[in-house]
Amino acid sequence: FYVGEVTKEDIISFLKVINQTTGANLGRIIDLDVNENGYINYLIVGSLKMIKKLSSPEYKVEYSSIKKIGKDVILVELN
């Protein structure tokens, strides 16, 4: 997936990230790690709330873990 096709805000604003293994809602994309060619290495997923709880985890989801990108959610496979 080449980042130049959409803006980061397009992705971050709407899509929830769901672990298809457990069904857990991991949160929304809060940042992307992109290589020098503009391709996504991994997504940083977590809470978008202004005041985050200290126990609110952030996840680094490698691009290879993404199984399906829908209009409302991204399904990932994490163990």
Side-chain angles (χ1 to χ4, degrees):
F1 183 77
Y2 182 67
V3 175
E5 296 173 10
V6 294
T7 66
K8 187 166 91 171
E9 288 76 22
D10 289 337
I11 298 170
I12 292 172
S13 298
F14 300 104
L15 299 178
K16 293 180 184 176
V17 179
I18 306 293
N19 183 350
Q20 73 176 14
T21 305
T22 63
N25 181 352
L26 303 178
R28 295 181 188 263
I29 300 169
I30 56 176
D31 204 357
L32 302 171
D33 179 70
V34 180
N35 68 20
E36 60 277 353
N37 297 321
Y39 291 94
I40 297 172
N41 292 324
Y42 58 85
L43 312 173
I44 300 174
V45 178
S47 173
L48 285 177
K49 294 181 181 177
M50 294 297 283
I51 303 172
K52 293 187 346 182
K53 295 179 183 176
L54 293 176
S55 62
S56 178
E58 287 185 357
Y59 302 92
K60 287 186 179 179
V61 179
E62 292 185 16
Y63 185 76
S64 61
S65 297
I66 297 173
K67 298 303 173 193
K68 183 82 171 178
I69 299 175
K71 70 175 198 171
D72 298 322
V73 299
I74 297 176
L75 295 177
V76 299
E77 188 172 330
L78 300 177
N79 295 323

